[in-house]
Amino acid sequence: MSILTRPILEINLKNLLENYRLLQKIAPQAKAAAVVKDDAYGLGACRVAKLLYDQGDCRCFFTAHGIEGEQIRPLVPDADIFVLQGIGKDSADSFYRAGLIPVISSPEMLRFWQKNKIEGIKPAINIETGLNRLGFRENELEQLSREEKQNFSLVMSHLACGDEKGHFMNEHQLNNFNQLRQKYFPKLPASLSASDGTFLGRDFQFDMVRLGAALYGINTAPYRESQMKNVVTIKAPVLQTALMPKGDFAGYSATYRASSDRRIAIISIGYGDGIPRSLSNVGKVFFPRKEKLHEARIIGRVSMDNVICDITGIPGIKTGEEAFLAAGFYTLDDMARDAGTISYEILSRVGMTQRYIRREIMPVN
Amino acid sequence: MSILTRPILEINLKNLLENYRLLQKIAPQAKAAAVVKDDAYGLGACRVAKLLYDQGDCRCFFTAHGIEGEQIRPLVPDADIFVLQGIGKDSADSFYRAGLIPVISSPEMLRFWQKNKIEGIKPAINIETGLNRLGFRENELEQLSREEKQNFSLVMSHLACGDEKGHFMNEHQLNNFNQLRQKYFPKLPASLSASDGTFLGRDFQFDMVRLGAALYGINTAPYRESQMKNVVTIKAPVLQTALMPKGDFAGYSATYRASSDRRIAIISIGYGDGIPRSLSNVGKVFFPRKEKLHEARIIGRVSMDNVICDITGIPGIKTGEEAFLAAGFYTLDDMARDAGTISYEILSRVGMTQRYIRREIMPVN
């Protein structure tokens, strides 16, 4: 037994690399671009980009913002870095310094680009096919001059329901994409799919797939057993164990009351570490033992720095023991289901805080 | 009109300082400690600690973790820095380097401290009075020797329902706290309340109040109109406007369908920037104009980097215009209500991402 206070974030970069290679096999004719926006969903864009560049031969990256692209540039010197939110007055400097490729989504942004071009860079054009988010609408495509159309290097769009095989939106967007690109950009390399669309088959893969979530172990094809290896493990130490007498309340606002004597553990992790507060009274914490995986229910409200869980009947839990919040046996997808959200949201929060002790499992080079 | 891509986080440190001074007036006989854990709930622990030290004469700070205490130490050289999660093998170094004061919550942690004492430091003791989280239980207090009891500098506990005036738990915990401290630590300075308890009156204030949430503008007394000044404003540029024809869907999983032609705006901010995904289809975005505050409903799912909102009927919205996600007229408390959570959770996420352009409004020195 020892006293420990900090949560632990374990990032399995070996599995991340294997996920990348598996996805390459699923879309063998397409370029496999890596989406490392939002600091690689919180896992560390520089670490991930360098790994995929060095050991996965990845030469194409996507970020959301210019500053994110600039951060990874030194690690991927000759790669294409596309920026999904595009270029603007508040981000143009990053594009110049790092030679980033903007994804242009509107006529206004195109005009900005034309006044602020970077020599040798041909932007991508994003066209709207059904998501009703960023992208040129058809009436705007009609306005493009022949020369303007020739100054792009990639035509792309984005699926709304790629994680639901058989959803009518997939065929609908595929048809829209094919019609529009054949009409306006017949010779341009094309990209429609992120991770989820990659699993929808060759029709959806085109010349490039943009791989984010699945790299990080998220099951973007939830209609079937996950093929991805787990990347993220979250653990935190038991800071204290105690008896909770029958009738007592636990946590803020006294939302849990013990209807019999309980044994509880206080775990040193909370929503300040990215654990969703919506796991209050419904989430789980695990204690893996040789003979059995013990599950303890979170009781009361998740607070900023702690969760309380019910360890009644789990033998021998001591201060300093590591409780598992997420792991291969209970993935971020499972946690997200319990929390009423998606694993993307949890992942993008967890990685942001400096309070974790970070450990990386590296592939053999 | 201009093209802008990055969200903006505006932190009003002038108002934060005024909140601190107001709280001091509400608890005039108590020491006003500042809780800057979790990077001052995301607003920047170093900035906040320095401000309150220099201009608020604050000499007492609380963090959750040792590393957080170590970060602020250079800015508050002679202040007391208490660490709520206490000291352990994985954090002891920070305590030594920065002269931090652990809050000891269990006999196990006390034994660890006794083997790893820092000269000149007397820890605080946290006692359990009804929250059933961290803290000594009474049977554990009984075991303390007379000498052990004399080696603390502060006795503290924490309220479960301090934000609900009249909740029976408040009197219950107050009574427990008074009984226990009088029995075991009759001469020790005492602290029971965070921001919420500070508003419950003098009985709850003791010798020290621990001010976190209210400093940052959160209404911790929600049974009455907020007395706190707003600290956080979140804005993001309109990246694109478009027509959304009747029958079209918006966002992931096609959860919104237009029942008539709509005008929409895509705003460059998402859950990757800490905006809760649970605002999907229920959240609001604001466009303040001289004559009127226009409100636009978020439609479809909030995605990682964007939200879509319905701007039908709002005149003249152009690319580059700033949409307000949170401000004095729609605070983080209001956003949290719409999102089904508490503002603490949102605040602690928003401040973590590097994608924001940060602006600070400083008090006149």
Side-chain angles (χ1 to χ4, degrees):
Chain A
M1 190 220 66
S2 56
I3 296 283
L4 298 164
T5 58
R6 291 179 65 185
I8 295 161
L9 176 62
E10 200 175 272
I11 302 168
N12 193 321
L13 293 173
K14 180 171 174 290
N15 284 354
L16 193 155
L17 182 62
E18 287 179 30
N19 286 340
Y20 181 71
R21 289 184 174 142
L22 174 67
L23 291 159
Q24 277 180 318
K25 274 185 203 140
I26 291 170
Q29 85 299 339
K31 200 181 275 187
V35 181
V36 295
K37 64 182 184 167
D38 205 16
D39 202 26
Y41 295 30
L43 296 181
C46 291
R47 304 288 291 159
V48 171
K50 183 172 164 49
L51 172 77
L52 295 177
Y53 182 93
D54 289 348
Q55 295 193 51
D57 291 322
C58 181
R59 290 293 178 271
C60 188
F61 295 87
F62 279 82
T63 67
H65 285 277
I67 47 160
E68 296 174 335
E70 194 176 357
Q71 274 162 8
I72 64 165
R73 172 52 85 200
L75 303 155
V76 298
D78 60 343
D80 288 340
I81 303 174
F82 292 91
V83 177
L84 291 161
Q85 298 297 95
I87 186 170
K89 220 170 67 173
D90 56 352
S91 54
D93 286 350
S94 293
F95 284 79
Y96 287 97
R97 285 191 294 255
L100 309 175
I101 306 170
V103 176
I104 307 276
S105 289
S106 70
E108 292 89 346
M109 192 180 284
L110 181 60
R111 286 198 288 278
F112 181 87
W113 169 252
Q114 286 164 347
K115 287 185 203 142
N116 298 275
K117 260 183 222 173
I118 304 169
E119 202 166 340
I121 302 259
K122 279 188 161 194
I125 183 167
N126 186 17
I127 62 175
E128 160 52 27
T129 57
L131 181 62
N132 269 298
R133 216 175 51 179
L134 294 175
F136 276 74
R137 273 58 182 176
E138 184 164 15
N139 65 315
E140 296 165 337
L141 292 174
E142 281 167 3
Q143 314 283 320
L144 293 175
S145 71
R146 170 197 276 246
E147 201 205 325
E148 284 174 332
K149 280 184 277 194
Q150 285 170 343
N151 276 327
F152 292 107
S153 59
L154 177 74
V155 54
M156 56 180 278
S157 190
H158 194 62
L159 295 174
C161 304
D163 60 350
E164 296 177 64
K165 205 182 177 90
H167 197 294
F168 72 90
M169 281 293 284
N170 294 331
E171 285 300 319
H172 173 68
Q173 287 195 264
L174 180 64
N175 290 338
N176 283 347
F177 187 61
N178 275 324
Q179 274 175 32
L180 292 171
R181 73 184 187 87
Q182 278 155 13
K183 186 164 173 194
Y184 297 101
F185 309 99
K187 291 177 184 165
L188 220 51
S191 176
L192 174 62
S193 287
S195 298
D196 52 2
T198 304
F199 289 97
L200 296 178
R202 185 141 187 175
D203 287 353
F204 286 84
Q205 294 166 356
F206 293 93
D207 304 298
M208 180 196 288
V209 289
R210 309 183 304 267
L211 307 169
L215 287 184
Y216 309 121
I218 292 175
N219 185 8
T220 61
Y223 43 81
R224 53 179 285 183
E225 197 72 23
S226 179
Q227 293 182 266
M228 311 322 296
K229 297 206 166 181
N230 187 58
V231 173
V232 173
T233 299
I234 302 172
K235 300 185 277 193
V238 172
L239 203 45
Q240 185 169 10
T241 61
L243 182 74
M244 179 178 178
K246 175 180 173 178
D248 257 25
F249 296 87
Y252 285 122
S253 300
T255 62
Y256 175 86
R257 189 176 202 191
S259 42
S260 60
D261 285 352
R262 313 306 297 169
R263 185 133 198 101
I264 61 173
I266 293 94
I267 316 292
S268 192
I269 193 168
Y271 63 74
D273 308 292
I275 303 302
R277 186 171 165 277
S278 58
L279 288 177
S280 298
N281 285 308
V282 299
K284 298 155 196 161
V285 159
F286 295 87
F287 298 93
R289 297 284 168 78
K290 229 178 277 172
E291 69 292 355
K292 196 181 168 188
L293 177 66
H294 291 282
E295 178 178 324
R297 189 59 63 100
I298 292 175
I299 60 171
R301 293 267 168 85
V302 172
S303 52
M304 193 178 277
D305 312 307
N306 292 287
V307 299
I308 309 167
C309 65
D310 183 345
I311 55 167
T312 311
I314 305 177
I317 289 186
K318 291 275 196 325
T319 304
E321 179 165 351
E322 284 176 349
F324 284 69
L325 283 287
F329 54 78
Y330 179 78
T331 64
L332 288 178
D333 289 324
D334 296 321
M335 185 196 277
R337 194 179 304 110
D338 286 340
T341 185
I342 54 173
S343 46
Y344 301 64
E345 186 182 30
I346 300 176
L347 187 51
S348 72
R349 282 190 243 164
V350 163
M352 295 297 164
T353 145
Q354 296 306 304
R355 313 204 296 192
Y356 282 101
I357 296 172
R358 282 189 171 233
R359 291 183 190 147
E360 290 175 348
I361 298 170
M362 291 300 295
V364 182
N365 200 328
Chain B
M1 190 220 65
S2 58
I3 296 283
L4 297 165
T5 58
R6 292 178 66 183
I8 295 161
L9 176 62
E10 202 174 272
I11 302 168
N12 193 321
L13 294 174
K14 180 170 173 291
N15 284 355
L16 193 155
L17 182 61
E18 287 179 28
N19 287 340
Y20 181 71
R21 289 183 175 144
L22 174 66
L23 291 159
Q24 277 180 318
K25 275 185 205 142
I26 291 171
Q29 86 300 337
K31 201 181 274 188
V35 181
V36 295
K37 63 181 183 165
D38 206 15
D39 201 26
Y41 295 30
L43 296 182
C46 290
R47 303 288 290 160
V48 171
K50 185 174 163 46
L51 172 76
L52 294 178
Y53 182 93
D54 289 349
Q55 296 193 51
D57 290 322
C58 181
R59 290 293 178 274
C60 186
F61 296 87
F62 279 82
T63 67
H65 285 278
I67 47 160
E68 296 174 336
E70 195 176 357
Q71 275 163 8
I72 63 165
R73 171 53 84 200
L75 303 155
V76 297
D78 60 344
D80 288 339
I81 304 175
F82 291 90
V83 177
L84 291 161
Q85 298 297 95
I87 185 169
K89 220 171 68 175
D90 56 352
S91 54
D93 286 352
S94 292
F95 284 80
Y96 287 97
R97 285 191 295 255
L100 308 176
I101 306 170
V103 176
I104 307 279
S105 289
S106 70
E108 292 88 346
M109 191 179 284
L110 180 60
R111 285 198 289 278
F112 181 87
W113 169 252
Q114 286 164 345
K115 285 185 204 141
N116 297 275
K117 262 185 219 170
I118 305 168
E119 202 167 341
I121 302 255
K122 279 189 162 193
I125 183 165
N126 186 16
I127 61 176
E128 161 53 25
T129 56
L131 182 61
N132 270 297
R133 214 173 55 179
L134 294 174
F136 276 72
R137 273 60 182 174
E138 185 165 11
N139 65 315
E140 296 164 337
L141 292 174
E142 283 167 3
Q143 312 283 319
L144 293 175
S145 71
R146 169 198 275 248
E147 200 206 326
E148 284 174 332
K149 281 183 275 192
Q150 285 171 343
N151 277 325
F152 293 107
S153 59
L154 178 74
V155 55
M156 54 180 279
S157 190
H158 194 62
L159 295 173
C161 304
D163 60 349
E164 296 177 64
K165 204 182 179 88
H167 197 294
F168 73 90
M169 282 292 284
N170 295 330
E171 285 300 319
H172 173 67
Q173 287 195 265
L174 180 64
N175 290 339
N176 283 347
F177 187 62
N178 275 325
Q179 274 175 31
L180 292 170
R181 74 184 186 87
Q182 278 156 10
K183 185 165 173 192
Y184 297 100
F185 309 99
K187 292 177 183 165
L188 219 53
S191 176
L192 173 63
S193 288
S195 299
D196 52 2
T198 305
F199 289 97
L200 296 179
R202 186 144 186 175
D203 286 354
F204 287 84
Q205 295 167 355
F206 293 93
D207 304 298
M208 180 197 287
V209 290
R210 308 183 305 267
L211 308 169
L215 286 185
Y216 310 122
I218 292 175
N219 185 7
T220 61
Y223 44 82
R224 53 180 283 181
E225 197 72 22
S226 181
Q227 293 182 266
M228 311 322 297
K229 296 206 166 182
N230 186 59
V231 173
V232 174
T233 300
I234 303 172
K235 302 184 276 190
V238 172
L239 203 45
Q240 186 170 10
T241 62
L243 182 74
M244 179 176 177
K246 176 181 172 176
D248 256 26
F249 297 86
Y252 286 121
S253 301
T255 61
Y256 175 86
R257 190 175 202 192
S259 42
S260 60
D261 287 351
R262 314 306 296 170
R263 185 129 198 101
I264 60 172
I266 293 94
I267 316 293
S268 193
I269 194 167
Y271 63 74
D273 307 291
I275 303 301
R277 186 171 166 275
S278 58
L279 288 177
S280 298
N281 284 308
V282 297
K284 300 155 195 162
V285 159
F286 296 86
F287 298 93
R289 298 282 170 78
K290 227 177 280 171
E291 70 291 358
K292 195 181 168 188
L293 177 66
H294 291 283
E295 177 177 324
R297 188 59 62 102
I298 292 176
I299 60 172
R301 292 266 168 87
V302 172
S303 52
M304 193 179 277
D305 312 307
N306 293 288
V307 299
I308 309 167
C309 64
D310 183 344
I311 56 167
T312 312
I314 306 177
I317 290 186
K318 291 272 195 326
T319 304
E321 179 166 351
E322 284 176 349
F324 284 67
L325 284 287
F329 53 78
Y330 179 78
T331 64
L332 288 177
D333 289 324
D334 295 322
M335 185 195 277
R337 193 178 306 111
D338 285 341
T341 185
I342 53 173
S343 46
Y344 300 65
E345 187 182 29
I346 301 176
L347 187 53
S348 73
R349 284 190 240 163
V350 163
M352 295 298 164
T353 146
Q354 296 306 306
R355 313 203 296 193
Y356 282 101
I357 296 172
R358 282 188 171 234
R359 291 184 190 147
E360 288 174 350
I361 297 170
M362 290 301 293
V364 181
N365 201 328

